[in-house]
């Protein structure tokens, strides 16, 4: 019986491939959606083409097609390419900022459940068009499978906290449930092009095209696109992204610089100690963060540890309030307070009838940071 099941499974898999040889397929590694030049929509794909039976090399190339709809662009892309496109290995979805600002990428998300069999564990990023330039910048002979690029966004979020790491299913959940808003890692080719930051001023928010830009000493070299539902409303630089991730419990470690009352510049390596505590009641919320810190610079800082800790906690609390105010002005609940509000309803219909965003824009939040400097006794 077990042998018959194995045979049946093999026949099923062969049927799914429609009796085509593996080398007849071109695998789409990244797919991007943006506005077209002559037609409304442009579909861009970074494609991996396996060599023939005697050639083990893999060639990566970027192809694109425009259409009056995403379905038409997809059909044009498939028809124009000599091989058969497979989305079985697609791991990254890039949304062009031009579509994201208007919220028009939702049409593609609905279409994605149809013909291109996109997996729901896709990593989603926002991209400053042209997407082709970003994809071509990721092609490297040293990394033909793009394995490093596939994991680099996640690594950046985990190792430095400078960018958000958002999956396809999380993105869809935010749009449908409306209990929180997402941030997407923001990619572009020209890392020297200043962009406005939601909090104020200008910043360098890019991950970069040719290589992922990350410097622990310059937190503004990476950042995130901020959304209100399905519409992109602005950017946050790496530092402000990190502070949002601390609240959503997506932060693990990262470096930040502070200026003390006497003008001393201090750089810390911060670590998550435990999950943050968030509470919401009667239009007022509180957030308690638990962090551990190493003082990296300056070495041998001669200052009372309690005074140092108090100043650092106060500065971080003030910055969190500033970031929250910017998010409230943009109508983006990227810190996820809506989850707490939704949990207060017994019926889904009652939550759906609630005008949460109106409540959120005037929500009063108190931030409290508990910072443990290494070698200090642990505090509650």
């Amino acid at each position: 019986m077990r042998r018959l099941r194995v045979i049946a499974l093999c026949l099923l898999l062969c049927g799914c491939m429609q009796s085509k040889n593996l080398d007849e397929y071109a695998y789409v590694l990244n797919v991007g959606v943006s506005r077209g030049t002559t037609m409304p929509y442009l579909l861009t794909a970074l494609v991996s083409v396996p060599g023939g039976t005697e050639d083990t090399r893999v060639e990566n190339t970027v192809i694109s097609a425009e259409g009056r709809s995403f379905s038409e662009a997809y059909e044009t892309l498939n028809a124009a390419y000599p091989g058969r496109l497979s989305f079985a290995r697609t791991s990254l979805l890039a949304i062009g900022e031009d579509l994201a600002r208007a919220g028009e990428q939702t049409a593609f998300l609905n279409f994605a459940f149809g013909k291109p069999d996109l997996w729901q564990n896709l990593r989603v990023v926002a991209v400053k068009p042209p997407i082709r330039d970003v994809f071509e910048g990721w092609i490297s002979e040293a990394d033909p499978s793009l394995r490093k690029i596939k994991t680099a966004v996640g690594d950046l979020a985990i190792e430095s906290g400078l960018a958000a790491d958002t999956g396809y299913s999380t993105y869809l959940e935010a749009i449908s449930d409306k209990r929180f808003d997402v941030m997407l890692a923001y990619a572009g080719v020209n890392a020297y092009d200043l962009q406005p930051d939601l909090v104020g001023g200008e910043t360098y928010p890019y991950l970069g095209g040719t290589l992922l830009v990350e410097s622990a000493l310059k937190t503004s070299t990476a950042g995130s696109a901020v959304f209100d539902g399905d519409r992109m409303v602005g950017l946050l630089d790496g530092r402000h992204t990190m502070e949002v991730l601390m609240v959503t419990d997506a932060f693990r470690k990262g470096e930040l610089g502070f200026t003390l009352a006497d003008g001393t510049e201090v750089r810390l390596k911060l670590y998550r100690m435990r999950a943050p505590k968030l509470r919401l009641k009667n239009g007022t919320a509180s957030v308690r963060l638990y962090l551990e810190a190493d003082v990296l610079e300056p070495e041998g800082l001669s200052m009372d540890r309690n005074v140092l800790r108090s100043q650092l906690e106060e500065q971080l609390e003030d910055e969190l309030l500033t970031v929250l105010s910017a998010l409230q002005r943009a109508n983006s609940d990227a810190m996820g307070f809506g989850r707490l509000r939704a949990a207060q309803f017994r019926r889904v219909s009652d939550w759906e009838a609630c005008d949460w965003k109106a409540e959120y824009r005037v929500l009063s939040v108190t931030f409290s940071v508990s910072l443990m400097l290494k070698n200090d006794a642990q505090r509650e």
Side-chain angles (χ1 to χ4, degrees):
M1 180 64 70
R2 181 176 298 177
R3 182 175 300 175
L4 288 175
R5 288 178 180 174
V6 171
I7 294 174
L9 179 59
C10 292
L11 290 173
L12 177 61
L13 292 175
C14 291
C16 291
M17 298 301 288
Q18 297 183 1
S19 301
K20 285 184 174 286
N21 296 326
L22 289 177
D23 57 6
E24 293 182 42
Y25 282 83
Y27 293 97
V28 178
L29 303 181
N30 299 346
V31 62
V33 293
S34 59
R35 288 198 189 280
T37 303
T38 59
M39 293 189 179
Y41 302 113
L42 173 65
L43 194 61
T44 305
L46 196 160
V47 178
S48 176
V49 184
T53 55
E54 297 180 359
D55 188 355
T56 59
R57 292 175 300 178
V58 173
E59 179 184 353
N60 293 323
T61 186
V62 178
I63 59 176
S64 60
E66 294 189 1
R68 289 163 294 186
S69 66
F70 287 116
S71 177
E72 185 177 76
Y74 171 73
E75 295 298 340
T76 303
L77 197 68
N78 246 329
Y81 195 75
R84 179 178 174 82
L85 296 179
S86 170
F87 287 80
R89 299 180 184 176
T90 307
S91 60
L92 187 142
L93 169 62
I95 299 174
E97 183 176 354
D98 46 7
L99 282 186
R101 291 277 186 180
E104 294 184 26
Q105 74 282 3
T106 305
F108 175 79
L109 298 179
N110 294 332
F111 164 72
F113 283 106
K115 294 183 178 178
D117 188 20
L118 295 174
W119 298 97
Q120 290 204 32
N121 61 353
L122 280 172
R123 180 167 279 120
V124 187
V125 300
V127 171
K128 182 179 181 181
I131 294 178
R132 170 181 285 273
D133 291 353
V134 176
F135 283 0
E136 288 178 344
W138 280 338
I139 295 176
S140 168
E141 292 183 2
D143 184 26
S145 68
L146 273 72
R147 184 174 302 170
K148 292 181 180 179
I149 293 298
K150 293 175 184 178
T151 59
V153 175
D155 291 344
L156 190 68
I158 294 172
E159 296 299 325
S160 69
L162 296 178
D165 182 22
T166 303
Y168 187 51
S169 57
T170 301
Y171 183 66
L172 292 179
E173 180 186 355
I175 294 175
S176 61
D177 291 354
K178 301 179 180 180
R179 295 179 299 120
F180 63 97
D181 290 311
V182 296
M183 299 192 304
L184 303 181
Y186 185 69
V189 170
N190 186 359
Y192 301 100
D193 207 2
L194 282 167
Q195 296 285 312
D197 187 293
L198 273 176
V199 175
E202 293 182 314
T203 184
Y204 302 96
Y206 301 108
L207 292 176
T210 304
L211 60 121
L212 291 171
V213 179
E214 178 188 359
S215 169
L217 299 179
K218 297 179 181 178
T219 58
S220 61
T221 54
S224 301
V226 179
F227 282 73
D228 168 18
D230 61 358
R231 187 173 62 89
M232 178 179 167
V233 292
L235 299 168
L236 289 180
D237 68 8
R239 183 185 187 95
H240 299 139
T241 294
M242 189 185 305
E243 289 162 347
V244 175
L245 297 181
M246 290 177 183
V247 178
T248 62
D249 200 24
F251 172 77
R252 292 299 174 265
K253 56 185 175 181
E255 294 186 19
L256 286 180
F258 297 88
T259 303
L260 302 180
D262 62 1
T264 301
E265 299 288 338
V266 176
R267 179 154 292 279
L268 303 179
K269 180 75 172 185
L270 295 168
Y271 303 87
R272 171 192 181 275
M273 282 185 63
R274 67 184 77 167
K277 292 182 178 179
L278 281 71
R279 291 185 173 86
L280 175 64
K281 185 177 182 181
N282 299 327
T284 301
S286 64
V287 178
R288 183 72 179 269
L289 302 180
Y290 301 90
L291 303 170
E292 186 178 31
D294 264 335
V295 178
L296 302 180
E297 298 175 3
E299 294 184 7
L301 179 63
S302 58
M303 179 182 242
D304 181 270
R305 305 287 278 186
N306 290 327
V307 173
L308 173 61
R309 183 171 53 229
S310 177
Q311 288 192 30
L312 294 173
E313 289 174 343
E314 184 177 347
Q315 282 193 46
L316 189 51
E317 289 164 359
D318 289 344
E319 285 192 27
L320 286 163
L321 275 174
T322 301
V323 173
L324 172 65
S325 296
L327 292 173
Q328 288 176 311
R329 290 193 299 271
N331 208 42
S332 174
D333 183 19
M335 290 185 177
F337 292 104
R339 287 188 171 107
L340 301 178
R341 186 70 176 101
Q344 296 174 351
F345 293 91
R346 292 185 177 182
R347 295 181 298 184
V348 175
S349 59
D350 292 338
W351 161 245
E352 292 175 344
C354 171
D355 189 355
W356 160 240
K357 281 299 179 73
E359 295 181 14
Y360 167 70
R361 288 191 293 271
V362 295
L363 181 67
S364 175
V365 181
T366 301
F367 291 96
S368 177
V369 177
S370 179
L371 185 66
M372 187 184 80
L373 299 174
K374 287 212 171 174
N375 300 323
D376 282 359
Q378 186 170 340
R379 301 181 304 145
E380 289 295 332

